Amino acid sequence: MQHQDGTASDDAPRRRAPGVLQRLRAPLRDSPVARQILLLQVAVVVVLVVGAVALAGLDARRDARAAATERAVAVARAVADSPAVVDAVSLGDPAARIQPYAEQVRVDTGVDFVVVMDLERIRFSHPDPANIGRRFVGDVGQAPQGRVFTQEFTGTLGPSMRAVVPVRAGAGTERPVVAMVAVGITVQAIDRQLRDDLGLIGLAAAVVLGVGLAGAWLVSRRLRRQTHGLGEQEITRMYEYYSAVLHAVREGLLLVDGEGRVQLVNDEARRLLDLPDDVVGRPLEQLGLAPALVAAARDGQASDDDVYLAGERALVVSAAPARWAGREVGAVVTLRDHTELRSVTGELDVVRGLTESLRAQTHEASNRLHTVVSLIEMGRAEEAVAFATEELEVAQRLADSVVEAVGDPVVAALLLGKTTEATERGIELEVTGDLTGSGVASRELVTVLGNLLDNAFDAVTGRSEKRVRLQASVREGTTRVVVGDSGPGLSDADATHALDRGWSTKASNATVPGGGRGVGLALVAQVARRHDGAVEIDRSPLGGARFAVTLRRATVGTPAPVEAP
């Protein structure tokens, strides 16, 4: 920006400064977080060590000067209390007596000067004999009044820490002051001793600095492994994008670590599994999930589109181990709600069953029609009419008996289809009882009857005697359905797991996602629980297994059932 006279404005550099600072900081932000932390730790360690050394140096310097002052005071008092000094002051020519003594004391104590003077500050001794008889340079404070005085002063020998002590004569508490003794240690001598002390401080600081830098490097190395060498902005973007994706996907997502603890869960997974708010960090076993689902998440093997029951929902679960740098770090579990799809699939199975029944009936009807035509061509019209009438009566009696026993056209259609299927498979199916007025939704009855009969048909397949018996009854609002077969039956151990999702005594169908086994009886148990009922498993009079399902009248707001795939 320029003024009208063409000169540059003073605020232009101030506006450009933030841009320059940002350009200077940009490389640091783009560098890996581990490197930033390392540089920060190195800076902190260096500043702390340098600051500590500086403070230690100042403290050592202060202590050295204080110690020198105390030593000067002690030497001065010793000289002042010496009888030789007191006597020499009172005699003539004190310098001749005091100078040798003072020099001897100076040499023995290691101080830089011992000066004895009178009250007029005329020297009787000095390291330089030329200064004897001259006035003492510096303050004496209140030493003439009998007090000890200390100071740092620059005299003839340079800067020094000195002490001035009075010399008293005679005896008693009120002895007069007759002279003064000044003892000093030059700052140069103090600094020589201080340099020796600072050498030890510097050595200790170097050790501390080395340990601090090594620790900072180890922390940075570990942090680099933990952050995979990512920079500050990369980690921020990763967190923001992953968080957005996590909560935006329509599938439930559950991440567990190697010990089976939940580390990440999105909103859909919370809804599908009814997870609490504090789910993160808790083991899967403490969340009340189905054991089979927990086992799938902790199995460590990839599995695709397995069906599990979670409460009232049928979930398609895919699990895959999560690996990084060749090691397993946990598992990723995806969840999809297939409750409605399974319900529609169940209805489709009913239609498929009816279609198969019609196909079988069409095949039988074609055979019977050919028989009737052949009889007519042979001129046996009466036998043809009798044969056709008998077949119609048998089919009508079967349909009438089933419809009358069931009272529900949807369930009746299912049982007619199962009757035809049993005939094709050479199975003797016996249907007795009445379901009129059960109060249970047709779709749920189809789930129970269809799955129990399919299970019974599979159980008797391959047996010499193939018999299945269905008994139904409704009493005081309670519906009871019992299906028995002449199959091999179930052991006590098998009976305890028969209602678990995924459990089956039959080989899995490879053409069906998830195997297609172990779902039907689990769905029957789910319907029973929803109607406050139960499923009992015991030995059938026919020799095989017997499943007895009790259903109480449905209440308002009962959710739609999950049909068998």
Side-chain angles (χ1 to χ4, degrees), residues 137-389:
V137 178
D139 296 334
V140 295
Q142 294 183 336
Q145 287 76 36
R147 296 184 180 180
V148 177
F149 174 72
T150 61
Q151 73 171 163
E152 180 180 352
F153 190 81
T154 302
T156 57
L157 298 180
S160 62
M161 303 300 298
R162 57 178 60 180
V164 181
V165 176
V167 178
R168 297 178 182 272
T173 58
E174 298 294 335
R175 294 181 297 167
V177 177
V178 297
M180 296 176 289
V181 178
V183 176
I185 303 174
T186 61
V187 173
Q188 183 179 4
I190 297 174
D191 289 343
R192 283 197 301 268
Q193 180 64 35
L194 180 60
R195 282 194 294 271
D196 296 337
D197 296 338
L198 289 179
L200 295 176
I201 294 176
L203 179 60
V207 173
V208 172
L209 181 61
V211 173
L213 294 179
W217 179 78
L218 291 176
V219 171
S220 173
R221 182 181 177 185
R222 177 174 177 80
L223 185 61
R224 182 183 294 274
R225 290 199 305 267
Q226 296 295 327
T227 60
H228 307 299
L230 297 177
E232 169 190 344
Q233 294 182 345
E234 293 175 312
I235 293 178
T236 301
R237 285 195 300 267
M238 182 181 297
Y239 174 79
E240 292 174 349
Y241 295 161
Y242 283 9
S243 180
V245 171
L246 179 66
H247 297 287
V249 294
R250 297 291 299 273
E251 294 183 348
L253 188 62
L254 189 70
L255 274 69
V256 297
D257 60 16
E259 298 181 0
R261 292 190 299 265
V262 177
Q263 297 299 327
L264 190 146
V265 60
N266 68 348
D267 299 336
E268 183 66 7
R270 291 178 184 271
R271 184 186 71 84
L272 294 177
L273 299 178
D274 295 326
L275 298 177
D277 295 335
D278 59 344
V279 62
V280 176
R282 296 177 58 182
L284 286 173
E285 292 81 359
Q286 297 180 3
L287 302 180
L289 303 179
L293 197 154
V294 175
R298 301 196 60 175
D299 186 36
Q301 302 293 329
S303 60
D304 296 328
D305 295 343
D306 287 334
V307 181
Y308 293 90
L309 298 179
E312 303 297 330
R313 298 184 179 95
L315 304 180
V316 175
V317 179
S318 296
R323 293 185 174 88
W324 179 266
R327 62 186 181 90
E328 187 171 328
V329 296
V332 180
V333 181
T334 58
L335 310 164
R336 285 171 288 168
D337 190 356
H338 274 216
T339 303
E340 295 183 0
L341 179 60
R342 295 291 168 178
S343 177
V344 174
T345 304
E347 295 180 356
L348 179 61
D349 286 340
V350 174
V351 175
R352 185 182 293 112
L354 294 177
T355 302
E356 291 296 324
S357 176
L358 291 175
R359 181 194 60 77
Q361 291 179 6
T362 301
H363 180 74
E364 290 298 321
S366 177
N367 291 335
R368 292 163 185 163
L369 180 60
H370 284 300
T371 302
V372 172
V373 171
S374 298
L375 289 174
I376 293 176
E377 290 177 349
M378 294 170 59
R380 298 183 179 183
E382 295 181 0
E383 294 181 10
V385 171
F387 177 78
T389 302

Side-chain angles (χ1 to χ4, degrees), residues 75 79 100-114 126-128 157 184:
V75 173
V79 173
Y101 176 75
E103 284 300 296
Q104 184 64 41
V105 171
R106 181 182 68 82
V107 173
D108 292 342
T109 58
V111 298
D112 291 300
F113 65 85
V114 177
H126 194 275
D128 185 2
L157 298 180

